[in-house]
Every structure is written in structure tokens, then in C-alpha cells.
Amino acid sequence: MAASNVSSHFSSSLRMARAPRTAGSFAPSRVFPGLRRRPSCFPRIYALSSNDIKVGTSLVVDGAPWKVLEFLHVKPGKGAAFVRTKMRNYITGNTVEKTFRAGSSIDEANVSRETKQFTYKDGAQYVFMDLVTYEEVRLGEKEVRDKKKWLKEGMDCNLIFWNEKVIDFELPITVKLKVVDADPGLKGDTVQGGSKPATLDTGAVVNVPTFIDIGEEILVDTRTGQYSSRA
């Protein structure tokens, strides 16, 4: 290609790059720190068979989301087979037992989990932050319930969303907390012995071995609320 043609082609390309966009053109949307768009869509509902139920399955029953805690497939000598379940309501925390006919169709709850960090408590609200977008999610006492006794600033939790709303959150299975009040420990007793109540820095009270002293950090299982070990 001749030099004059190359120069002409480059100038034409430059003019095109600098040309203002018309009403029909598209430009990338700007992204602002701390702002995140959730996809706007209708709630998705998936049907599954009662035979597919297992621990952890999320179901929609009577218009509310439930989590299966226990299940048992029963095939009696007479009559139709069924599935006996124990479920917990994500929103209210209530636990019920419910039976489903074997092979019946059930709506699966489309829940999603997002990791957020508990950053601080603002009055009666608990503030969780997305460390990527800096978006804040606030939960009240009603949503947090008795899980607040294990919450500590800087702790990562899984917030559970259903229909674009937070319906529950999951704590880490094991948390490290400090003993702030307890009877004096028994020196030399590090294996055997009884237990004593200890108050932790979140306000929770747990039974710990008698050798645990004030100022020590311990690991607690949030599922049972019981002492696991020294940290």
C-alpha cells in the first residue's frame, strides 16, 4: 500500500474513533464503586420429585422457603410409600415435620448464597458488607435471632437470598472467641475434670473445661453452641 494511502486510511480511522456517538450507538455503562445491580428477573421455580429430597434441599411449601434438615423414605407393608421430613422455615426459623407422597412433585426454592463480612452493629441493625462492591446489607434483630451471640466484627458469613431478599444467613461452623469472665482455672488440670460456665466477648455463655482461664481464646461449634477446644 502506498504511503499516501496508508496516511489517508489512518486519518480516516482516527476520525471514526473520535466521532461522537449518535443516538443509535452503544457505549459501555459506567461502574460506580459500591453500586451493584442485581439481575431483574422473575423468581425461578423448579419442580422436583419428593424422591429427590435430601438434607439441605430447599423447598417452597405454602408460598414460603424451607430447608430440609432430616428425611426418611418410608415404604410400609401396606399403603403408598412416602417421605417423612423435618424442615426449617428460612424466614421464621420455625421447625416442622411434614410428609410427602413418594413421587409427588414439589417446588424447589431457588436460593443463592453470597459471602458478606459482618462489619459492625448500628443500633438494632447488623451491618454486613460485600468486600468487592462495598454494598451493605442490614439485618434486624428479628432476622439475626439468637445467632447474634456468635457474631464478631470481621467475621465472614453466607447471606441467603430468595426472591431478591435476604431470608437467612449462615455462620462459620467454628468461631474463635475470647473468654471474658469465668471462675479461676485449676492449674495442672488440662485433660480430665468437670466444666464451668464462661462468658465470651460476644456475650454468649458456654460450658468450658475447668482449666480455661479469663483471656484465653477458644473455638466454639456454632451448630451446637458447645466448646470445641482452645484456639
Side-chain angles (χ1 to χ4, degrees), residues 73-115:
H73 292 274
V74 180
K75 190 173 183 180
K78 294 182 180 180
F82 59 90
V83 182
R84 180 184 296 129
T85 66
K86 182 177 181 180
M87 306 189 303
R88 179 175 60 81
N89 189 301
Y90 274 112
I91 299 174
T92 65
N94 294 337
T95 301
V96 301
E97 293 185 356
K98 188 172 180 62
T99 299
F100 299 95
R101 189 179 69 253
S104 60
S105 180
I106 311 170
D107 290 333
E108 182 178 12
N110 178 38
V111 301
S112 61
R113 288 170 171 78
E114 298 182 13
T115 301

Side-chain angles (χ1 to χ4, degrees), residues 137-148:
V137 177
R138 292 172 177 257
L139 301 181
E141 297 276 356
K142 184 178 179 181
E143 290 81 18
V144 175
R145 300 191 292 275
D146 62 346
K147 293 180 180 179
K148 63 185 178 184

